């Protein structure tokens, strides 16, 4: 009687764990879509600013999230199939995939956090030099477009302030045509509006574009880090549940074998 009760209790636990894992994998699959979406959003949403950064860490973190998101969606689907079929070999493969994706997302989260710490210093050292030396120069069209978009999107002028442009290669050249700032500094862009740097005409933002871009990138990095580490922690729960399910199936197989 006691043995029968124990078997029934074990079967009940296995069934509950099976359905719990199935629900987890469905949520896991949806989470993969979210992770991939965050990675794509990071690159698409003002992704042209990446050319203004000295390192590629920001872009790498986003690409890792996209890769991890795709793997999560595939793994979540395979996990559902493995749970339904109750095959230990499939579940073991699924368990290994969970650990691999966990490491990938953890790397993305850590990269985002480390880069977040160094972001301010990188922008101070690199952005000003990029704007002063590369704006409107031959072969630097992508940087020129990025700077113009940056100043218009964030309503700023210059790396620290509008006076920075006085020392730029572009403003000191004949191509500037007596401009004191690029036309993209103007609140309302009109031909050669950069000749007049009055506050009513151009953006006079305290801290310049560095402050604005730093805040924008910092917000994205926090989201990348939070999503990466958050989903990674969720996967640990899934890995524990999977390990428990594999163990229960193993015990059931042992008991069935002993009864033969």
């Amino acid at each position: 009687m006691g043995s029968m009760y124990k078997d029934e209790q074990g079967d009940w636990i296995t069934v509950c764990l099976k359905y719990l894992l199935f629900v987890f994998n469905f949520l896991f699959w949806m989470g993969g879509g979210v992770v991939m979406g965050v990675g794509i959003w990071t690159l698409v949403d003002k992704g042209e600013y990446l050319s203004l950064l000295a390192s590629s860490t920001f872009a790498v973190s986003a690409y890792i999230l996209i890769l991890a998101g795709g793997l999560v969606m595939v793994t979540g689907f395979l996990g559902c199939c493995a749970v339904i079929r109750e095959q230990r070999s499939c579940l073991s493969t699924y368990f290994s995939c969970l650990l691999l994706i966990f490491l990938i997302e953890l790397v993305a989260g850590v990269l985002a956090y480390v880069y977040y710490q160094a972001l301010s210093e990188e922008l101070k050292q690199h952005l000003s030099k990029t704007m002063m030396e590369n704006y409107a120069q031959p072969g630097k069209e992508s940087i020129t477009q990025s700077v113009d978009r940056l100043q218009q999107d964030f309503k700023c002028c210059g790396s620290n302030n509008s006076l920075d442009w006085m020392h730029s290669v572009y403003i000191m050249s004949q191509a500037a045509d007596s401009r004191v700032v690029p036309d993209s500094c103007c609140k309302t862009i009109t031909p050669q509006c950069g000749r007049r740097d009055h506050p009513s005409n151009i953006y006079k933002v305290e801290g310049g574009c560095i402050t604005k871009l730093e805040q924008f990138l910092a917000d994205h990095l926090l989201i990348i880090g939070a999503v990466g580490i958050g989903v990674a922690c969720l996967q640990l729960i899934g890995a524990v549940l999977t390990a428990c399910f594999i163990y229960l199936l193993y015990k059931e197989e042992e008991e069935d074998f002993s009864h033969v």
Side-chain angles (χ1 to χ4, degrees):
M1 184 71 177
S3 176
M4 185 180 297
Y5 174 76
K6 188 175 181 181
D7 289 343
E8 288 178 354
Q9 187 181 38
D11 291 342
W12 180 80
I13 293 173
T14 302
V15 170
C16 287
L17 193 55
K18 178 178 179 178
Y19 282 107
L20 187 61
L21 260 177
F22 187 84
V23 171
F24 168 81
N25 276 290
F26 179 72
L27 295 175
F28 188 51
W29 179 81
M30 292 180 65
V34 172
V35 170
M36 184 183 291
V38 168
I40 294 172
W41 167 68
T42 300
L43 293 177
V44 171
D45 186 27
K46 300 179 177 63
E48 64 270 21
Y49 299 152
L50 297 178
S51 63
L52 302 178
L53 303 177
S55 71
S56 58
T57 309
F58 182 80
V60 168
S61 298
Y63 282 121
I64 289 176
L65 271 192
I66 294 173
L67 170 64
L71 289 175
V72 165
M73 294 188 74
V74 173
T75 304
F77 176 76
L78 293 177
C80 289
C81 296
V83 170
I84 292 171
R85 297 178 67 180
E86 295 187 8
Q87 290 187 345
R88 282 198 297 123
S89 58
C90 292
L91 286 167
S92 298
T93 303
Y94 169 66
F95 178 79
S96 301
C97 289
L98 278 181
L99 293 181
L100 174 63
I101 298 171
F102 167 77
L103 292 175
I104 291 174
E105 289 180 339
L106 199 60
V107 167
V110 170
L111 273 177
Y113 178 76
V114 170
Y115 187 58
Y116 177 79
Q117 303 299 312
L119 178 62
S120 179
E121 193 60 34
E122 177 184 319
L123 287 177
K124 287 176 183 176
Q125 292 180 358
H126 186 72
L127 185 60
S128 179
K129 182 179 179 182
T130 298
M131 292 174 117
M132 297 305 102
E133 296 180 3
N134 297 324
Y135 183 83
Q137 299 306 300
K140 304 293 183 180
E141 289 78 12
S142 63
I143 290 178
T144 302
Q145 292 173 5
S146 296
V147 171
D148 285 338
R149 181 75 184 272
L150 175 68
Q151 295 190 138
Q152 279 295 298
D153 283 355
F154 293 124
K155 298 178 174 27
C156 57
C157 183
S159 54
N160 294 292
N161 54 62
S162 59
L163 296 177
D164 292 340
W165 284 110
M166 293 175 61
H167 309 291
S168 72
V169 174
Y170 167 66
I171 294 300
M172 291 188 291
S173 69
Q174 292 183 350
D177 195 17
S178 300
R179 289 178 176 84
V180 289
V181 293
D183 290 345
S184 58
C185 280
C186 300
K187 294 178 180 179
T188 302
I189 297 180
T190 56
Q192 298 184 331
C193 62
R195 288 181 173 182
R196 190 170 66 90
D197 63 350
H198 192 273
S200 64
N201 181 51
I202 68 166
Y203 294 112
K204 297 276 189 178
V205 179
E206 189 66 32
C209 292
I210 285 180
T211 303
K212 295 280 190 175
L213 183 57
E214 181 181 350
Q215 186 58 54
F216 168 79
L217 294 176
D219 291 343
H220 275 63
L221 286 170
L222 284 176
I223 294 172
I224 290 175
V227 169
I229 294 176
V231 175
C233 292
L234 183 65
Q235 285 170 230
L236 278 182
I237 299 173
V240 171
L241 292 175
T242 304
C244 292
F245 191 53
I246 292 172
Y247 174 75
L248 288 175
L249 291 177
Y250 174 74
K251 292 294 289 182
E252 285 182 1
E253 287 180 8
E254 269 195 338
E255 289 174 3
D256 292 341
F257 181 76
S258 62
H259 290 154
V260 174

